[in-house]
Amino acid sequence: MRVLINGLQAGNRSGTGVYTTQLAAKLVALAEMGTIEVFWPADIPLPDGTAGRESAFHLTARMSQARRIWFDQMGIQAQAMKGKFDLIHYPANFGALLRRMPSVLTVHDLTFLRDPSWYKAERATYYRIAIRRSVRNARRIIAVSQATANDLTNMLGVPAERIDVVHNGVDPRFKPIGEQGRREVSAKYALADPYVLFVGTIEPRKNLPRLVEAWSSVAGNAGPSLVIAGRQGWKTEAVRESVARSPHGKRVRFLGHVPPEDLPALMSGAAVFAYPSLYEGFGIPVAEAMACGTPVLTSNVSSLPEVAGDAAVLVDPEDTIAIASGLERLLSSESLRSDLRGRGLRRANQLSWDKAARQTLETYRKALAGK
């Protein structure tokens, strides 16, 4: 079995970028030399744990958007056939629109079908066209949650027997960080305790205007600040407007993209990690926050109850009062926060990238066996 992974999404500062990086590293380390190889962006360092396996990564120069689309659709298949690979793995939602050889496709979510208004119009249109052809042409599909698997069946008619549910893992660097490490990161970003933390791309689906409004109603004059860490996405005007309306808007901090090495301490130092997203295929930041021992508030929709289990306060993300009530419960109850710390650590311990890689190898075997 020889598999070529399209790893160019590794440079994306999002869940698909984390998935591509972690899975490529684990698969290359697990497999025999020459079994798994990866097309990798030349401007991104090779993932941790791959020393001695550098030859498995084919470094690829940055491409224009048009050339990247061509490469994703045609170029990688040509390279795979030239290199006598048996299978291509497309790890970031979209695969081959023209089927020239067997492939496995990982689908993270179908949010662009559920509510296209969460995206720029041209992007949503491309996604809607590409996903239908991608799932049709893939020999097997990996869904990162049962919620996404259900969406594939209900929204695109993909038979359940073609889908393997493989949960994402948690990078071992996400763990409770001691006081010294927390202080260093707080000083670096000029943060004052306590703070409520959100981590993720700033985009409509993340529901930040409601989070700002809910936090504003419970923050008071001496309560926690609100810290928003993540890259600027699209359609961000409503978030800025909600901060401008808040009577405590000056205590909302936008940190922008935070390097991965700072996130564990940033999460460990938060009084509450708040992630009331409207819809998620998995929600990696929720798992990472739980691994850091941080009490979590998240949504009771899509995959988030599946990921959090009994280790978070779950709320209706479209109900600002419910979000505020959940925040107030967490901020006012040390016993609740302590209970959720323990539950969160246990839950996060069940989510492993090693396990995900082994399950992915089994999907490859099924695909090559024609199952």
Side-chain angles (χ1 to χ4, degrees):
M1 175 178 71
R2 297 194 69 224
V3 180
L4 184 60
I5 300 173
N6 185 357
L8 298 187
Q9 189 73 6
N12 191 304
R13 294 171 173 176
S14 68
T16 55
V18 172
Y19 174 87
T20 301
T21 300
Q22 291 288 342
L23 201 65
K26 297 300 182 183
L27 286 169
V28 166
L30 277 174
E32 296 180 6
M33 288 293 286
T35 301
I36 308 288
E37 297 186 18
V38 188
F39 271 105
W40 191 261
D43 57 339
I44 301 296
L46 295 184
D48 295 341
T50 57
R53 300 270 180 148
E54 292 86 355
S55 62
F57 293 85
H58 302 272
L59 301 184
T60 306
R62 184 179 293 275
M63 303 178 190
S64 67
Q65 186 174 16
R67 182 165 177 78
R68 171 66 184 276
I69 292 173
W70 172 87
F71 181 83
D72 287 346
Q73 296 306 319
M74 305 296 294
I76 192 169
Q77 293 192 74
Q79 292 290 334
M81 289 187 288
K82 180 180 177 180
K84 300 187 185 304
F85 286 89
D86 303 305
L87 187 74
I88 297 176
H89 183 184
Y90 297 92
N93 270 347
F94 307 107
L97 304 189
L98 296 173
R99 179 171 52 199
R100 300 175 67 191
M101 65 177 298
S103 66
V104 166
L105 171 71
T106 297
V107 175
H108 297 264
D109 63 70
L110 297 178
T111 50
F112 43 87
L113 294 179
R114 185 166 291 277
D115 192 337
S117 71
W118 291 336
Y119 294 84
K120 293 180 179 178
E122 65 275 12
R123 184 170 295 187
T125 299
Y126 171 73
Y127 287 170
R128 290 199 301 273
I129 295 170
I131 192 64
R132 287 179 168 85
R133 294 185 180 178
S134 297
V135 299
R136 183 182 65 205
N137 289 334
R139 190 167 279 186
R140 288 202 70 80
I141 299 170
I142 293 171
V144 298
S145 65
Q146 186 60 52
T148 293
N150 294 343
D151 281 352
L152 281 162
T153 298
N154 296 334
M155 301 175 76
L156 293 176
V158 181
E161 56 269 22
R162 283 185 58 214
I163 305 170
D164 296 316
V165 175
V166 178
H167 285 145
N168 293 331
V170 180
D171 189 323
R173 81 174 75 194
F174 287 92
K175 59 185 177 182
I177 302 300
E179 183 176 354
Q180 180 62 31
R182 298 197 305 269
R183 283 182 176 177
E184 290 174 0
V185 165
S186 290
K188 178 177 179 178
Y189 294 99
L191 302 178
D193 291 334
Y195 58 89
V196 173
L197 176 66
F198 166 88
V199 175
T201 301
I202 299 174
E203 52 159 306
R205 180 164 53 94
K206 302 305 181 182
N207 204 28
L208 287 172
R210 287 193 181 95
L211 174 59
V212 170
E213 184 179 349
W215 164 82
S216 296
S217 71
V218 302
N221 293 324
S225 58
L226 176 62
V227 176
I228 297 172
R231 68 184 177 97
Q232 288 286 320
W234 50 91
K235 296 186 176 183
T236 62
E237 299 84 1
V239 181
R240 301 291 179 177
E241 290 169 1
S242 67
V243 173
R245 289 194 302 270
S246 170
H248 309 296
K250 292 182 179 180
R251 287 162 46 207
V252 179
R253 293 287 313 282
F254 289 91
L255 303 186
H257 172 70
V258 173
E261 58 269 22
D262 289 346
L263 281 176
L266 185 67
M267 288 180 166
S268 295
V272 173
F273 182 79
Y275 199 81
S277 177
L278 293 168
Y279 214 85
E280 292 292 325
F282 187 84
I284 288 176
V286 168
E288 292 171 341
M290 291 191 299
C292 292
T294 305
V296 171
L297 176 144
T298 192
S299 303
N300 62 2
V301 299
S302 63
S303 65
L304 292 164
E306 181 181 344
V307 173
D310 66 351
V313 170
L314 302 178
V315 298
D316 178 352
E318 298 190 54
D319 185 342
T320 303
I321 294 174
I323 299 171
S325 176
L327 287 174
E328 189 168 31
R329 284 177 59 207
L330 281 163
L331 292 168
S332 64
S333 175
E334 174 56 37
S335 62
L336 176 59
R337 293 197 302 274
S338 178
D339 180 54
L340 290 182
R341 287 188 192 102
R343 291 174 184 266
L345 289 167
R346 290 191 293 273
R347 175 60 184 141
N349 195 48
Q350 298 170 7
L351 300 169
S352 159
W353 286 115
D354 286 315
K355 179 180 178 182
R358 290 192 296 271
Q359 291 175 322
T360 299
L361 284 173
E362 182 58 30
T363 294
Y364 294 165
R365 295 186 186 101
K366 290 180 185 177
L368 289 172
K371 296 181 180 179

